[in-house]
Amino acid sequence: MKLLNIKILCFGFFVLMIAHGAFAQVEFMQRVEVLSEWDDHDFIVLPQQDGTISFRTKAGKGFSLEQKLQYFVTDLDLQAESMYEVPVKDYFQLTGFDLEDSYLYTLFQKGESYANDRIIYEVNLLTHEVREVVIENVLDMELQEFLIMDKKAILMGMMDYRPAIQVFDTETKEVFTVQGVYANEVNILQLSKKPELEVFEVLVTKKNRFKERSLSVMTFDTDGNMLREVKVAPEDRPELEITDGVISPADNYNQVLIGPYGLRKRDPDRGIYFTRINEFGEYSNRFYTLADFDNFYNFLPEKQRAKKEKSLEKAIEKDKDLVITNTLTTREVLAGPDYFLVYNDYYLTSSGRYSPRDLLYANDFYRYAPMSMRNRVMPGGYPWYFPGGRASSSYEYKYMAAQFLMLDAEGNMIWDNSISLDDVTLGSPGKFGEVSFDGNHLYYLYLEDSHLKMSHLQGGEVDFINMDVPINLPNGEERIKETQEESLTLSWWYRDYFLLSGKQKVRYINKDNREEIREVYFLTKIRADASLIPKEEEEDEKKE
């Protein structure tokens, strides 16, 4: 371990704009700009409760192999004082990152070989001291997840086509290998840390000798010891199969698991299940089918919707099997004081009924990161750093709808609804949009080219869908010359605030009254507010 010197760039590196312009239903609050070249790596922006943390690697000029880790921190008003630079070893690439308390951890790997050197840079965001830790004596595995808890690195990856998890203590350099996951016919679907309980959880799917799959929620302490395993199966329903899900935050080991289920070896999509797990590891299941979703087909035009609903009614009357004809995938579970809001994406994949995402690990970055950033994700799960570069894929995904379910604490259905995504076709099966929900107002935003699209539900009822919002500058005397669309990312931040970031070229008049162009990476705080819609615009939208 060693401490590194850090370079501080002056405040002139930033341009801060205070904006309170309202465009339709979105209020652009503040914007901060970082002077940046068009071909620079994009910043990875992590929204936090008290501000934001943004970082990237930046190469030296010309043919220099020198590179630095740049980062800056803002408050909730996007006020930033300095840009900080950390020297990074040559030939090393950023492959992972995490936050713990006031520390930013970045993981760098030399080259593409799994056996190559790896280094962790621990950055104190308060004092800006940096600690370099060389990772030693760990397995040569294809890394898929990197988490930090209690200064211990949780490394998860694949080795010999089997999943493996190790815990590396960054202070003592001790290594603990987690037992119970390195086996044939085991797939890790989700790994999440629970710092309040000092444990981390692993959601795995296992296949028995009869080729039957089941889910297990495995809980470990920071030394890799298993504390409990909850095997979730459709009780008294052996014909059903659960192969995916999202775990809610734990409340003293009480939590829920929600996701899609299907008919074993036949239909992969039958509906959504709700599993409640108590502190003793006991669980109970509830299964929802199309018969429980009153508004599942609301995303369709009126005539098509009526036809689908009539066909569904006949199928229910004749007691036929109810099958969801395309892929329904759970993206997020938002837990309220006495409710759960479930956000599902409904899409068609070119590979047929079975999505290639089935049984693949989906880390938090994959599941929750903005769509445009996920389009630049390589198999390991982290951003690919050529601006605009995309991971190659032979599949296409046509996004038809975003579905929302509101359940009470016991899993009773309060309401459901769905909104059209206009059959947008993408090369990534990741989460399509961002959700804000306060128990009554639901705002759903996503990016389409260089515009925002916004929908609003109140009390489960659709108010408006896919309203177009252009990205504008707060300074009316400046103009956007060009937006690098593939750099744009949109994230929910807190309450009804979202964070938009990306690269732009801005045309402005300098002090000599001459036109100039500045290239920037920007962050804009925006607020979703349906009350901002002019009455005449609202009436026109309802007529449509």
Side-chain angles (χ1 to χ4, degrees), residues 5 49 59 61-62 114 142 149 176 203 205 213 222 227 299 310-311 327 337 348 355 385 397 438 468 510 517 530:
N5 294 325
Q49 291 183 346
K61 297 290 185 179
Y114 309 145
E142 177 188 358
M149 190 166 62
F176 307 94
L203 178 64
T205 176
R213 286 200 174 274
T222 54
L227 302 180
F299 68 94
K310 186 175 181 179
S311 176
T327 301
L348 172 66
S355 167
Y385 273 125
Y397 306 87
D438 64 3
D468 187 75
N510 65 17
I517 303 294

Side-chain angles (χ1 to χ4, degrees), residues 184-185 206-214 264:
N184 293 324
E185 303 294 354
K206 300 180 179 181
K207 185 183 290 186
N208 62 20
R209 61 190 180 94
F210 301 107
K211 303 300 181 181
E212 297 172 340
R213 286 200 174 274
S214 62
R264 194 178 300 278

Side-chain angles (χ1 to χ4, degrees), residues 215-228:
L215 281 187
S216 288
V217 181
M218 308 169 76
T219 305
F220 301 90
D221 64 19
T222 54
D223 289 333
N225 301 308
M226 184 187 295
L227 302 180
R228 79 171 186 181

Side-chain angles (χ1 to χ4, degrees), residues 10 212 227 256 260 375 392 494 505 540:
C10 66
E212 297 172 340
L227 302 180
V256 300
N375 285 341
S392 61
Y494 66 99
K505 294 180 181 179
D540 291 342

Side-chain angles (χ1 to χ4, degrees), residues 261-274:
Y261 72 94
L263 194 63
R264 194 178 300 278
K265 296 183 180 180
R266 283 181 54 192
D267 301 313
D269 289 287
R270 283 298 184 95
I272 297 294
Y273 71 89
F274 174 96

